Amino acid sequence: MKKFKLDATGLACPIPVVKTKKLLEEYETVETTVDNFIATQNLDKLAKQLSYNIAVTEVGSNYEVVISKNDLAKDNVIDTLNDKCVIPVTQAKRVLEKESKVEILVKDESNVDKLEEFAKKNNYNFEKLQKEDHYSVSIEKLNNELEQEKPVQKFDESYIVVINKKIMGHGSEELGKRLIKAYLYALTEQEELPKKIIFYNDGGELVDRNRSHVLDELRELENNGVEIVCCGACIDYHNIDLAVGNPTNMYFIVEDMRKANRIIRP
């Protein structure tokens, strides 16, 4: 197995991502060392985009990120205990697209709650077992009849939603806040969901833990597999405390817009 070790400490994003992506064209495994957590999240995004395995380990003040061309889950078990970047619901959904059962190991009870909500919404069987320092969660598909009773939501890979304001439209801010909430609620009810929602500029406040009034709608979308990302520079500028989604950078925003057949800006 061809492996390469990349020292990306001191490099600003998106350079670690760009260098890692190029190396993965030649090597089966790339171990990238970075010195900030945002870089690990961007590398996680790269791994998910390529459907590669990723593991993140803290080493002193740095992080070692190993990306390899293996399956994300081993024997239908997703271990998130030592990997801060894995989104348990998203990974569970990916396994259940091919398998009937998945086991997820998680540390935080908040992730257990999200997995339970995901299972209930899809009429899946849910079981949790509390261990010494973590939880083991099992999610299993029920019979086909129960699945057929639930309206099927599909993903339209051809379009993404871009939100660059905390309100919808121009004019009354109060009305604009109502409209953006109504829009996101309506989006949760669509038969075809977008692949991704990108937030930037003061639109990033909609994913903030304390300032957003649309977190319920965004969590619903995220629990159904819609990827939610927010510009990292905007997170820093507006002091955003992310409640949903993950940071991204301009490299990925440009790439997502370039590849999308349709971009919707409410």
Side-chain angles (χ1 to χ4, degrees):
M1 181 175 69
K2 295 178 67 178
K3 181 177 180 179
F4 189 93
K5 290 190 175 184
L6 170 66
D7 184 359
T9 56
L11 299 180
C13 281
I15 296 174
V17 172
V18 174
K19 286 182 174 291
T20 301
K21 186 176 183 181
K22 287 182 178 178
L23 288 168
L24 284 166
E25 295 174 1
E26 182 179 354
Y27 297 91
E28 292 183 10
T29 300
V30 175
E31 180 181 311
T32 304
T33 303
V34 294
D35 54 9
N36 65 89
F37 186 59
I38 294 294
T40 70
Q41 293 178 307
N42 287 325
L43 287 165
D44 176 70
K45 181 178 175 62
L46 172 67
K48 289 179 173 62
Q49 183 183 75
L50 298 173
S51 295
Y52 291 166
N53 186 41
I54 180 170
V56 180
T57 306
E58 283 190 60
V59 181
S61 60
N62 294 331
Y63 300 87
E64 288 184 358
V65 183
V66 179
I67 299 178
S68 58
K69 300 177 182 180
N70 299 323
D71 291 332
L72 286 166
K74 183 178 180 182
D75 299 325
N76 296 348
V77 177
I78 301 170
D79 186 350
T80 74
L81 301 180
N82 297 312
D83 191 342
K84 294 182 179 180
C85 291
V86 171
I87 303 173
V89 170
T90 302
Q91 298 302 339
K93 182 178 183 296
R94 288 184 180 181
V95 174
L96 289 168
E97 286 173 355
K98 298 180 180 179
E99 308 292 339
S100 61
K101 186 175 182 179
V102 65
E103 179 183 355
I104 311 102
L105 307 180
V106 295
K107 278 188 176 179
D108 299 331
E109 192 170 0
S110 62
N111 281 322
V112 175
D113 294 338
K114 290 178 182 178
L115 288 164
E116 184 173 14
E117 184 178 351
F118 164 73
K120 285 181 179 177
K121 182 172 180 64
N122 289 278
N123 290 321
Y124 295 160
N125 188 48
F126 174 88
E127 293 181 4
K128 72 173 180 181
L129 179 62
Q130 185 168 4
K131 304 220 173 167
E132 221 173 275
D133 59 347
H134 69 277
Y135 296 88
S136 173
V137 174
S138 294
I139 299 176
E140 185 176 10
K141 291 182 180 179
L142 300 177
N143 60 58
N144 290 334
E145 289 182 359
L146 285 176
E147 288 190 30
Q148 289 171 3
E149 289 175 5
K150 178 185 176 295
V152 177
Q153 287 182 309
K154 300 178 294 183
F155 289 93
D156 185 340
E157 297 285 338
S158 70
Y159 90 97
I160 60 176
V161 174
V162 173
I163 298 177
N164 59 10
K165 297 187 299 180
K166 60 185 176 183
I167 65 172
M168 187 173 181
H170 301 279
S172 167
E173 182 170 347
E174 182 182 352
L175 177 58
K177 289 177 68 175
R178 292 182 196 167
L179 292 176
I180 194 66
K181 186 173 182 70
Y183 175 85
L184 290 169
Y185 173 76
L187 196 59
T188 67
E189 297 296 315
Q190 297 300 302
E191 290 184 5
E192 292 190 355
L193 297 173
K195 177 183 179 181
K196 182 176 299 186
I197 304 177
I198 300 173
F199 291 89
Y200 59 85
N201 214 320
D202 69 356
E205 291 187 20
L206 295 176
V207 294
D208 182 79
R209 193 174 307 278
N210 299 310
R211 287 174 283 181
S212 176
H213 65 296
V214 295
L215 291 181
D216 289 342
E217 290 77 13
L218 292 178
R219 288 187 178 114
E220 176 82 4
L221 289 162
E222 188 176 54
N223 287 339
N224 280 286
V226 177
E227 187 177 357
I228 295 174
V229 297
C230 183
C231 160
C234 307
I235 291 173
D236 292 338
Y237 185 86
H238 290 289
N239 295 315
I240 293 168
D241 181 9
L242 275 181
V244 292
N246 290 287
T248 187
N249 58 49
M250 196 54 66
Y251 174 84
F252 285 119
I253 290 175
V254 170
E255 190 172 64
D256 288 334
M257 289 184 171
R258 177 178 61 82
K259 289 182 177 179
N261 291 335
R262 290 180 293 153
I263 299 174
I264 296 176
R265 292 185 179 89

